[in-house]
Amino acid sequence: MLNQIGIFRTIRVLSLAFTFTTSSAFAAQQVSLPKRIQANYVVTKDGTPFANVREQYVVTGNAYKVESTTKGIGVYALLGVRKLTSTGKVTRKGLVPTHFELHQGSNPNKALFSDFDWSSNTLHMLGKGEPQAVPLTAGTQDLASFAYQFMFLPRPFKNDMTVTLTTGKKLNQYQYKVKPELEQLNVAGSQYKTVHLVPANLDKGQSETKELWLATEQNYILARFLMVDNDGAKLEQTLTELHVD
């Protein structure tokens, strides 16, 4: 089962940093994309609320900034505030991060930093004073920016996606399938039409799963995230409030 200290670490699975195959067909979609988004979420563990997440996405000129703040509820507040910040550029293919950092409470040993050197295709990561440098692939996102990259994808989505996942410590790739049927999602008194992403190996008996629901009529904002770990513990993040300008 997930322990209290590991809970905020588990939220990092939301850092699925997607490498998407794009084409010029999506250019027209970007004309009316929002410049400012504020999204609030509640996170539950096995149905019990333990954290609130507040995110803000702002575009100024050709630059973007994403800030995500997670505050625990009740005893989980003792874990401290978790803050993610991502900055970078907005291009015709979407968000191109240049810098990312994560802070968990006041413990410097839990801070993570990532710098994206696109000129040399190298990702520089720093955690606990230990630097790493790994090859950087086109389209890679970070924990804070990834959810807003969906806005830039050509629609309808393809049947599958190659996922580049960075946690600030590692860079991994995963395969996701896009379910063909839209799903109606009722959260916090609001209804959303969503596209549902599931792991491609979900039908191969893997016990751990991470699934995403994206609101199709709200610029494909993340409306729900579900993780079930190998022990059956369920972590869920659900949209409670959304403001788009």
Side-chain angles (χ1 to χ4, degrees), residues 103-231:
H103 298 274
Q104 178 65 58
S106 58
N107 189 342
N109 291 328
K110 293 185 178 181
L112 299 173
F113 302 89
S114 296
D115 287 292
F116 297 72
D117 185 347
W118 295 103
S119 62
S120 65
N121 293 324
T122 304
L123 177 64
H124 298 277
M125 297 179 288
L126 178 65
K128 295 183 179 181
E130 299 179 3
Q132 293 186 68
V134 298
L136 181 61
T137 57
T140 298
Q141 301 295 312
D142 57 51
L143 290 91
S145 68
F146 89 94
Y148 301 94
Q149 176 68 357
F150 291 107
M151 294 188 292
F152 297 89
L153 299 189
R155 302 158 192 171
F157 288 171
K158 294 187 176 181
N159 294 332
D160 52 59
M161 295 180 181
T162 299
V163 178
T164 301
L165 184 154
T166 177
T167 66
K169 293 181 179 180
K170 297 180 181 180
L171 192 64
N172 302 317
Q173 283 196 334
Y174 298 86
Q175 295 292 326
Y176 264 69
K177 289 183 178 180
V178 179
K179 285 197 169 184
E181 301 285 337
L182 292 182
E183 299 182 15
Q184 194 78 16
L185 193 64
N186 190 345
V187 293
S190 299
Q191 291 189 337
Y192 300 97
K193 292 181 181 179
T194 64
V195 60
H196 187 183
L197 275 61
V198 297
N201 55 4
L202 191 60
D203 56 353
K204 297 180 181 179
Q206 180 175 327
S207 57
E208 181 175 285
T209 180
K210 304 176 185 70
E211 303 179 41
L212 301 94
W213 286 258
L214 309 174
T216 60
E217 295 177 346
Q218 286 76 28
N219 300 289
Y220 290 77
I221 293 299
L222 181 67
R224 182 186 183 213
F225 170 84
L226 173 67
M227 173 183 170
V228 180
D229 72 9
N230 292 324
D231 295 322

